[in-house]
């Protein structure tokens, strides 16, 4: 039986080889052209540009919902995306904070390649923490939020600028989520439902998409991506819910030589916008977020939710590593 199978395999191989050998030259040339399709060149990410977009946000002051600074920054973000060629939707609603305060929420969405079926979602939150609850002074005052709030938006605005000059083969949706950081302060006792006090904008979007039937192949969340000496370990929720997306992003970072920033260790499970976008919104997502697991105290860094989160903590090399990685992912689709 073994020899008979080998004989049949030989005949089949001969017939297939003969078939291709008898094809007209134009068909063989066509196959060569298809195989030699040039690789897309990813545009260069400009960290100086991303830095300037962060500075502009900080210049507005803390972007806390229900304040003039928040409203002014929202208008600027929508205008910037429009300038960069996006089809812009501002999703407005009133959501309720942990203490019952009604918050005027604005999710700002920039769509590229609206006619393209395959889509990738890039997102960050743009609001800032109303309390410096991890600081030792002025705990009841809002933070500047250069890194926590400003950095992810700054990187994605630079991505938007590049998309306006050279579009990807797939559709891209850039979403700036609001009211992410309005969770209860640390001096308020938690309960088992306290995680629902956070990420109000992404929770709202997950239940009320900006387009009926909206779907994306995957998403990437950028949260606190500009700090000096930042490390981006594989975030635990992403690994559990969207391991393939995490692998794609971290593999790309490794290919680009950014292993100084993108580490292989896994963090504990965290609650961030990607949790709701994935579990309720149906878009599997990776979360690029600074989180230290090799130092004590383990967590988001010394300036997290303090008044030290200003422009002095922003590092252009970190922005470059993150921006290059995200750009390579989307342009090589």
């Amino acid at each position: 039986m073994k020899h008979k199978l080998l004989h049949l395999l030989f005949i089949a191989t001969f017939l297939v080889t003969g078939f291709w050998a008898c094809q007209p030259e134009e068909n063989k040339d066509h196959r060569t052209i298809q195989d030699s399709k040039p690789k897309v060149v990813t545009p260069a990410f400009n960290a100086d540009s991303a830095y300037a977009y962060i500075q502009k946000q900080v210049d507005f002051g803390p972007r806390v919902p229900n304040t003039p600074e928040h409203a002014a920054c929202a208008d600027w973000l929508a205008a910037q995306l429009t300038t960069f060629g996006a089809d812009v939707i501002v999703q407005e609603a009133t959501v309720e904070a942990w203490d019952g305060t009604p918050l005027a929420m604005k999710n700002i969405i920039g769509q590229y390649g609206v006619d393209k079926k395959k889509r990738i979602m890039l997102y960050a939150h743009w609001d800032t923490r109303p309390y410096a609850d991890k600081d030792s002074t002025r705990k009841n005052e809002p933070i500047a939020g250069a890194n926590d709030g400003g950095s992810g938006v700054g990187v994605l605005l630079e991505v938007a600028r590049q998309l306006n000059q050279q579009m990807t083969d797939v559709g891209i949706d850039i979403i700036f989520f609001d009211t992410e950081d309005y969770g209860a302060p640390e001096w308020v006792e938690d309960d088992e439902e306290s995680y629902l006090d956070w990420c109000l904008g992404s929770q709202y979007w997950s239940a009320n998409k900006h387009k009926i039937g909206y779907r994306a192949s995957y998403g990437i969340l950028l949260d606190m991506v500009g700090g000096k000496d930042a490390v981006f370990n594989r975030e635990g929720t992403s690994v559990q819910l969207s391991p393939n997306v995490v692998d794609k992003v971290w593999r790309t970072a490794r290919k680009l030589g950014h292993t100084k920033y993108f580490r292989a260790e896994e963090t504990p499970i965290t609650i961030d916008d990607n949790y709701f976008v994935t579990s309720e919104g149906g878009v599997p997502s990776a979360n690029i977020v600074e989180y230290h697991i090799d130092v004590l105290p383990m967590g988001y860094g010394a300036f997290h939710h303090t008044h030290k989160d200003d422009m002095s903590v922003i590092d252009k090399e970190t922005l470059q590593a993150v921006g290059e990685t995200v750009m390579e992912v989307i342009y090589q689709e």
Side-chain angles (χ1 to χ4, degrees):
M1 178 64 74
K2 178 180 178 183
H3 295 295
K4 185 176 180 180
L5 287 173
L6 287 174
H7 179 66
L8 291 173
L9 179 61
F10 172 78
I11 292 174
T13 305
F14 174 80
L15 290 173
V16 171
T17 305
F19 171 79
W20 282 112
C22 293
Q23 294 306 296
E25 288 298 318
E26 58 185 11
N27 285 349
K28 290 196 287 186
D29 289 344
H30 175 70
R31 288 185 292 112
T32 302
I33 291 170
Q34 290 294 99
D35 293 343
S36 62
K37 181 181 178 181
K39 180 176 181 289
V40 173
V41 176
T42 300
F45 182 85
N46 189 323
D48 289 331
S49 179
Y51 185 93
Y53 298 138
I54 300 169
Q55 181 70 68
K56 179 67 176 179
Q57 293 171 80
V58 172
D59 288 345
F60 281 107
R63 284 82 65 204
V64 177
N66 298 346
T67 66
E69 294 82 3
H70 180 267
C73 187
D75 291 342
W76 176 76
L77 290 172
Q80 283 298 113
L81 287 173
T82 300
T83 298
F84 295 151
D87 183 0
V88 176
I89 295 173
V90 179
Q91 189 180 52
E92 299 186 57
T94 299
V95 295
E96 186 175 297
W98 64 275
D99 60 354
T101 300
L103 304 174
M105 178 213 76
K106 290 185 177 183
N107 290 332
I108 302 166
I109 301 139
Q111 305 165 101
Y112 289 89
V114 293
D115 58 332
K116 296 179 182 293
K117 185 175 181 180
K118 182 175 181 180
R119 313 199 62 78
I120 299 171
M121 183 173 154
L122 308 176
Y123 55 106
H125 78 89
W126 69 275
D127 62 304
T128 51
R129 183 79 169 141
Y131 328 101
D133 47 341
K134 290 186 178 179
D135 214 322
S136 57
T137 60
R138 298 163 48 214
K139 285 178 173 286
N140 282 301
E141 296 180 22
I143 66 172
N147 195 38
D148 192 0
S151 63
V153 171
V155 169
L156 292 183
L157 282 174
E158 169 58 8
V159 172
R161 188 178 73 87
Q162 296 291 346
L163 287 169
N164 191 36
Q165 299 177 37
Q166 178 183 328
M167 185 53 196
T168 55
D169 289 338
V170 297
I172 303 293
D173 300 294
I174 293 176
I175 303 184
F176 300 142
F177 284 124
D178 198 2
T179 56
E180 187 267 0
D181 230 349
Y182 214 109
E186 292 206 339
W187 57 77
V188 173
E189 187 175 349
D190 287 343
D191 60 42
E192 62 182 16
E193 298 295 319
S194 62
Y195 75 97
L196 295 173
D197 298 335
W198 301 83
C199 309
L200 302 180
S202 57
Q203 288 189 64
Y204 181 87
W205 177 88
S206 295
N208 306 273
K209 303 287 181 56
H210 62 281
K211 281 191 171 182
I212 296 174
Y214 174 83
R215 297 179 65 86
S217 296
Y218 61 89
I220 304 174
L221 167 61
L222 281 67
D223 191 4
M224 295 183 282
V225 293
K228 183 176 176 58
D229 298 323
V231 293
F232 308 113
N233 287 295
R234 295 171 180 248
E235 186 266 332
T237 302
S238 302
V239 173
Q240 281 211 357
L241 299 181
S242 314
N244 292 341
V245 186
V246 175
D247 288 345
K248 176 189 286 285
V249 175
W250 263 252
R251 184 171 61 249
T252 301
R254 185 170 61 248
K255 180 186 74 173
L256 295 174
H258 295 316
T259 53
K260 171 185 175 183
Y261 300 97
F262 288 80
R263 305 289 181 84
E265 291 81 9
E266 182 179 337
T267 79
I269 291 174
T270 64
I271 295 297
D272 209 336
D273 285 324
N274 66 295
Y275 171 75
F276 298 102
V277 169
T278 302
S279 63
E280 297 180 12
V283 180
S285 301
N287 185 2
I288 305 176
V289 58
E290 179 174 357
Y291 196 99
H292 300 265
I293 59 177
D294 55 350
V295 296
L296 293 176
M298 186 171 69
Y300 294 115
F303 49 81
H304 182 241
H305 290 180
T306 74
H307 294 295
K308 294 178 182 177
D309 186 0
D310 56 24
M311 290 303 295
S312 68
V313 307
I314 301 299
D315 181 71
K316 292 180 182 178
E317 289 187 8
T318 307
L319 296 173
Q320 189 70 34
V322 174
E324 281 185 2
T325 299
V326 172
M327 293 268 288
E328 183 74 4
V329 169
I330 64 174
Y331 276 91
Q332 296 310 312
E333 280 292 338

